[in-house]
Amino acid sequence: MSTGSEKGTPGFLVWRLSMKWRVAVDRAVAPLGLTHAQYSLVASLYGMQRSGERPSQRRLADVTGLEPLYVSKLARTLETAGLIERTRDPKDPRAVQLALTEQGREVTGRAIKVVQGLLQQLLQPLGGLDSPRTREFTRDLATLLDAPLDPFGEITESKKE
């Protein structure tokens, strides 16, 4: 454990781990012309397309956890780079559907392999990607992600004391 980590709060440790992961992915996918956020978008789109879905920007925002406006900005940048195509949804002219281009599928496939290797490295201390400890860790993370947070919630008087 890095110096001071063992005394960190869970919130601090989650933040540090997410920053460590983001920086590592940014560095790993940079040679492919992607950022971590762009990778998150194209990798999610890749999986959705393989399942037969051509999602809207809004749907992709929901899946990735990114803000819809940010997804729109990323999509425009990725379209300019020739990795995705944006088209109007014939059922809803206000919605924009996204799809990977052939070049986008090729770059995304390579990026997924790179990030999978990185994930294997990250999870090695827990026994690797397929270990029981990693499965438990994944369940714990999913539980925390599913727990609602109210950033504007009031602290009750009993909690203040």
Side-chain angles (χ1 to χ4, degrees), residues 113-134:
K113 287 179 184 170
V114 168
V115 173
Q116 280 297 106
L118 194 57
L119 187 59
Q120 192 67 262
Q121 287 178 31
L122 176 72
L123 295 172
Q124 202 54 52
L126 300 181
L129 191 57
D130 297 321
S131 75
R133 202 164 158 207
T134 295

Side-chain angles (χ1 to χ4, degrees), residues 49-158:
Q49 274 188 228
R50 288 180 56 123
S51 300
E53 188 174 350
R54 186 176 178 136
S56 66
Q57 287 183 169
R58 167 57 99 172
R59 170 97 172 97
L60 195 54
D62 292 343
V63 167
T64 60
L66 298 170
E67 290 295 322
L69 193 59
Y70 190 44
V71 168
S72 177
K73 179 182 174 189
L74 290 170
R76 283 192 303 276
T77 300
L78 291 164
E79 181 181 40
T80 300
L83 300 180
I84 68 168
E85 57 186 21
R86 299 165 68 236
T87 56
R88 291 284 170 200
D89 184 338
K91 298 175 193 163
D92 181 359
R94 297 169 296 156
V96 174
Q97 289 181 313
L98 303 175
L100 290 168
T101 62
E102 186 175 325
Q103 178 188 357
R105 285 189 298 276
E106 188 271 324
V107 168
T108 302
R110 289 175 37 212
I112 288 170
K113 287 179 184 170
V114 168
V115 173
Q116 280 297 106
L118 194 57
L119 187 59
Q120 192 67 262
Q121 287 178 31
L122 176 72
L123 295 172
Q124 202 54 52
L126 300 181
L129 191 57
D130 297 321
S131 75
R133 202 164 158 207
T134 295
R135 286 192 292 278
E136 182 180 347
F137 178 62
T138 302
R139 281 191 301 273
D140 289 345
L141 289 172
T143 297
L144 293 174
L145 283 171
D146 290 343
L149 287 180
D150 180 6
F152 303 108
E154 295 182 23
I155 299 173
T156 61
E157 288 302 314
S158 61

Side-chain angles (χ1 to χ4, degrees), residues 12-30 34-41 43-44 64 66 111-126 129 134 137-138 141 145:
F12 176 74
L13 295 175
V14 166
W15 176 73
R16 286 285 314 271
L17 182 59
S18 70
M19 294 304 296
K20 176 181 179 175
W21 180 249
R22 181 177 171 203
V23 167
V25 173
D26 265 334
R27 288 179 181 159
V29 299
L34 297 172
T35 65
H36 181 266
Q38 291 170 335
Y39 169 77
S40 297
L41 193 135
S44 296
T64 60
L66 298 170
I112 288 170
K113 287 179 184 170
V114 168
V115 173
Q116 280 297 106
L118 194 57
L119 187 59
Q120 192 67 262
Q121 287 178 31
L122 176 72
L123 295 172
Q124 202 54 52
L126 300 181
L129 191 57
T134 295
F137 178 62
T138 302
L141 289 172
L145 283 171

